[in-house]
Structures are given as structure tokens and as C-alpha cells.
Amino acid sequence: MRVMLTVAMAAILPLGASAIAQGPAPIAQTDRGAVRGGVEDGVASWKGIPFAAPPVGALRWRAPQPVAAWAGVRDATAYAPDCMQVPFPSDAAPLGTKPAEDCLYANVWKPVAAKGKLPVVVWIYGGGFVNGGASPPTYSGANLARQGVVFVSFNYRVGRFGTFALPQLTKANADGGRLGNYGIMDQIAALQWVQRNAAAFGGDPANVTIIGESAGGMSVHMLNTSPLAKGLFHKAFIMSGGNGRTDDRTLADVERIGANFARSKNIDPDGPDALERLRALSAEEVTDGLSMMALFRPQPGAPTNTGPFADGKVVVDMGAAYAQGRFAHVPVVVGATSADMGGKTGFMIAGARQVAGLLADKRVPVWQYRFSYVADSVGQPGAQHATDIPFFFDTVAIKYGDKTTERDRAMGQVMSRYVVRFARTGDPNGPGLPAWPGYTRAGDRLMDFTAGGKAVARPDPWGAEIDAGTRGPIPSR
């Protein structure tokens, strides 16, 4: 099913490549056409800007293709659909749109009064590579933009739309060896769009920070090690992104999983028309009920879905790439929440510690954090997975509404200032902020955003326990 964004057409305006018309309806000229946004509380925003062609029909399971140019001025005042998925009720960041397969759109925020080139922050959402989108209200970039950055978010394909392989696709090789990892290809295409268009919104394409949480944090690792993402960003912020290792699935494994899915739809995966019939399935049929809940409650029988894998071109063996120095040597912030998935010695908390140590060993500037704060209204100890997002984005009041306390707001203000400072300079430290020491194995110091509402730099109190419990490799899934 193809859901197209409504386009408001007007006369073509004589705008330069970097022109922005300030006022009630700011207009920016992208490389494919002009877009009209809106202004609220001193922040201009543009939503639903296509960065690639709709990945539907014959473009299902293809690398993102160039979007067609448009005439006139395109309305960009509302989010476009998030990518196709089955939302689940307990999602901490519920979608603000109805998902659709036509979903490759970006959103931009910038402060109206800003002068000169601003640092660019690019957000990559999580959701287990089966859920998630750019539209949740807590992912709004307005409050970070208000502090002096251009904030960009975008959608990438998830579920079977984002990761899929079949021998027929491999044989066709329509995209020069880019196979299987379509969601990560979308992320790379979005970063290429940022490079081409950041200046049109007042941003500096030479100062781009990527920030992602959970599956988004894992994506940052994949981008940090992918040759195809080289030069597309200059700093990385990894939130609950694991240990930076790839599991052992191969393209052949993912092809077998794709064949399992075909059989589940009564399609012979070896038939000459298998790919045509699979592309003829509706988006709902391809989704087939898949969501985060399905990941935690897998159905009996052969698997029919998988997440990103090392294909060798888009996604590489991350562990080997990090060990051998084949990655972007950019400044990194990495961390996890205090009650993150898997506990102290699990994939998230121990993984962040391992990544900090590995990068420090490679002489890459790295700062580690642990988020221990719990919003006053939650009423239970332990900062759960993903609860740091609204504090780093300063969207605490959006998340907790009228239950937001002054202490909650203060923590969000401090944490978001670290993000902005890191994006601006490559170092989270700045005037008026508690000093955040860079991580070294010898010093073993991290920034703890404590349960008491303070930012406290100290030696990792769990360091010895984590190291004792994680000797040997941590599984990457």
C-alpha cells in the first residue's frame, strides 16, 4: 500500500542553495526542491522531507534510490508516515503517525535567530530493528535546536522491509553488492542527504554528530565501521548500543530466513516468480504481525525475520573492524542506563564499558556515562532502558507532562547541554557544567547522572563486577 504525503504546490521561488526565508512560513531550498516549514517558539521546523524515493513496488528490497525533484514549494509542516510496522501498546515512545511502506522522509529543526553555520545532530531511533520512527513527541528536536544546533531525524526501514535476502535478490545484484541491510542503507542515504542539504537549513555539513539509542545505538556502531559511511559524520553518541560486535549470521543464513518467510506465504522460494510474488504482497502481509513483542515471544517453527548482519559491504564485522582500527576515529560518548537490559554484566551496560575501553586503547577521545536518574513520578528504583532519551533531548516535560518536577527539568537541562556542547566542539565539557573526564582504563571514570539528580564524575563502582562477569566475548544478540 502506497501512502503519499500531501503536497502543497505554489510558484517556484528564486531561492539560493542555502537560502532560508525567516518568518511564519520559512522556506528552504533542498537539492530536489523547495520546502515550506513552520515556526514555533523561536524554532523553525520542516517535516516530511523525502530523502529517497518511496521504497515500494519494484523498489521493495532495493537500496534507497534518488527522489524525484519537484516543482514549486512542498509543504513540510507535518510528519510523513513512519516505516511499516505493527506498533505495540507498551512502547515508551509511541508513534505519532500511521505507518506505511512509503516512509523515507527526514525532519529538521533550527533556531530562527541563529547566525552562521550550526553543528548538526542526527537522531537514529531504536526499536529492535522492527519498531520505531521519527514521529514520537519525545524525539522532537525543538529543544536541542533552541540551544544552537540543527537537529535532523529520519525514518529507516524496519522488520522484513529493513533486513531481507533471497537468492534471487543476490543473483540480480541490482545495487552493486549492497544486499540485505536495507534499513542501514537508508541511514547512510539519510546522512548523504544531510551532507548535501545541511547548509540549506543553516547547518554545517563538516560538523555532524550522529546519536542513536538501542537499535539506533547499534546502528551508530555499524555506521562507525562501515566503509560506505566514511566522512558522513564527525562525532558519535551511542546510547545503550551494546558492545560493538557483530554476530555470526551470513548472507546465506539471511537468505534461508527469507526463504522461510516465502514458504509461510505459500510462495516457493526457488520458483522463478518468487521475488515478483513477494513484492506483490501487501505491506501488512510482509509485516505479518512482527513487532518487539514478537521478538520476546517468538513463534514455534523456522525463523522468518532477522536483524542486520555483516554483509561485508554495508555492514562489516564490527568486532574485527574495531580491533584492527578500521573505523571512523571520531570523538565518542557511550553509555547505558543503570537498570538496562541484561543487568550489570549484560549486553548494554557491560557493552558500553567494553566499547569505552576499546576506543580509549585506540586513542580515540571517548566519554562514558551511566544514567541512574529516575523521574520523580515513576516511583520505582532503577533507570530502565531508553529512559535517558527525554533527558538528553530536554523533552522531559513532553514525556512526563504535568507530573514533571523541577528536579526532572534540571536534569534534562544539564544532560541536553552536554549533547549540544559535544556536537559543537567534540567534547561534552563546557562552562557551567560539572567536569566530565575522558575515559581511560587506568582512570576508569564515568559520568553518573545519579538517582539523586546530580551529574557526578567518579570511578565506575561496578567496574570490577562487570569485568569479572564478562570475561570472554559477549554475544551480540
Side-chain angles (χ1 to χ4, degrees):
M1 178 179 66
R2 183 171 179 173
V3 179
M4 297 300 294
L5 181 68
T6 301
V7 179
M9 303 301 289
I12 299 176
L13 299 180
L15 297 175
S18 63
I20 294 180
Q22 302 293 358
I27 295 174
Q29 181 72 34
T30 76
D31 63 334
R32 307 309 289 164
V35 288
R36 179 188 294 108
V39 174
E40 184 176 356
D41 295 334
V43 175
S45 66
W46 297 261
K47 301 183 179 77
I49 308 169
F51 67 85
V56 300
L59 296 186
R60 180 184 285 175
W61 302 313
R62 285 285 308 277
Q65 302 297 307
V67 66
W70 59 86
V73 182
R74 185 185 185 109
D75 182 72
T77 57
Y79 290 111
D82 294 298
C83 288
M84 193 64 197
Q85 60 194 274
V86 175
F88 64 102
S90 59
D91 196 336
L95 300 182
T97 74
K98 182 179 179 180
E101 194 171 1
D102 175 5
C103 64
L104 299 183
Y105 298 87
N107 316 291
V108 182
W109 291 260
K110 75 169 291 284
V112 170
K115 304 295 183 183
K117 293 182 178 180
L118 300 177
V120 181
V121 176
V122 181
W123 166 241
I124 306 173
Y125 54 78
F129 295 108
V130 296
N131 284 119
S135 70
T138 51
Y139 296 170
S140 168
N143 286 347
L144 282 186
R146 196 168 283 112
Q147 296 185 46
V149 301
V150 169
F151 187 97
V152 179
S153 65
F154 63 89
N155 294 330
Y156 63 91
R157 284 171 281 182
V158 294
R160 296 184 186 92
F161 302 96
T163 309
F164 190 80
L166 206 67
Q168 288 92 332
L169 283 166
T170 303
K171 182 178 179 180
N173 194 22
D175 296 302
R178 292 178 293 167
L179 296 163
N181 288 302
Y182 301 106
I184 306 303
M185 296 181 211
D186 295 341
Q187 296 177 13
I188 293 170
L191 290 175
Q192 291 169 336
W193 181 88
V194 168
Q195 286 298 305
R196 297 193 306 271
N197 293 285
F201 300 94
D204 184 357
N207 189 7
V208 175
T209 299
I210 55 174
I211 176 169
E213 188 273 340
S214 196
M218 297 176 201
S219 297
V220 172
H221 281 303
M222 294 178 204
L223 296 168
N224 203 27
T225 54
S226 175
L228 299 185
K230 185 177 181 180
L232 298 181
F233 59 93
H234 312 93
K235 308 172 192 71
F237 202 117
I238 305 167
M239 305 165 63
S240 299
N243 61 2
R245 300 180 189 178
T246 316
D247 66 20
D248 57 0
R249 278 172 306 189
T250 65
L251 175 61
D253 295 327
V254 180
E255 288 177 338
R256 283 190 286 272
I257 292 170
N260 293 340
F261 175 70
R263 293 187 192 97
S264 76
K265 296 300 177 183
N266 298 314
I267 297 172
D268 178 3
D270 298 318
D273 61 346
L275 187 54
E276 180 182 357
R277 292 181 63 190
L278 283 164
R279 282 180 168 149
L281 293 174
S282 69
E284 290 79 8
E285 288 174 308
V286 174
T287 305
D288 201 26
L290 181 62
S291 73
M292 286 282 286
M293 298 304 293
L295 293 185
F296 291 112
R297 300 172 184 170
Q299 298 296 312
T304 62
N305 67 276
T306 183
F309 64 100
D311 66 278
K313 192 175 184 72
V314 179
V315 177
V316 302
D317 182 331
M318 295 186 292
Y322 274 131
Q324 297 166 16
R326 293 182 286 104
F327 64 94
H329 287 63
V330 299
V332 172
V333 172
V334 61
T337 64
S338 64
D340 220 319
M341 295 189 295
K344 294 179 184 178
T345 59
F347 181 46
M348 299 300 182
I349 296 174
R353 178 177 172 81
Q354 288 190 325
V355 168
L358 181 153
L359 293 174
D361 290 346
K362 298 292 184 182
R363 301 187 183 281
V364 172
V366 57
W367 293 263
Q368 188 187 4
Y369 78 88
R370 183 163 300 136
F371 180 73
S372 305
Y373 182 76
V374 178
D376 285 332
S377 61
V378 172
Q380 61 185 33
Q384 300 298 313
H385 184 69
T387 56
D388 48 350
I389 298 173
F391 291 89
F392 277 125
F393 281 16
D394 196 20
T395 55
V396 178
I398 296 174
K399 172 66 176 175
Y400 297 105
D402 60 7
K403 296 180 181 179
T404 308
T405 67
E406 286 305 314
R407 192 172 72 148
D408 296 339
R409 292 188 183 91
M411 180 60 85
Q413 290 165 3
V414 168
M415 291 175 66
S416 62
R417 286 175 63 196
Y418 281 122
V419 175
V420 170
R421 188 70 185 180
F422 180 68
R424 183 173 293 134
T425 69
D427 185 328
N429 290 287
L433 290 170
W436 186 343
Y439 185 83
T440 64
R441 289 193 191 272
D444 195 25
R445 292 171 67 82
L446 52 70
M447 180 63 81
D448 188 358
F449 298 102
T450 68
K454 301 292 184 182
V456 177
R458 62 184 181 186
D460 187 351
W462 298 347
E465 184 178 352
I466 291 173
D467 293 343
T470 56
R471 291 201 173 102
I474 300 176
S476 63
R477 287 185 72 82

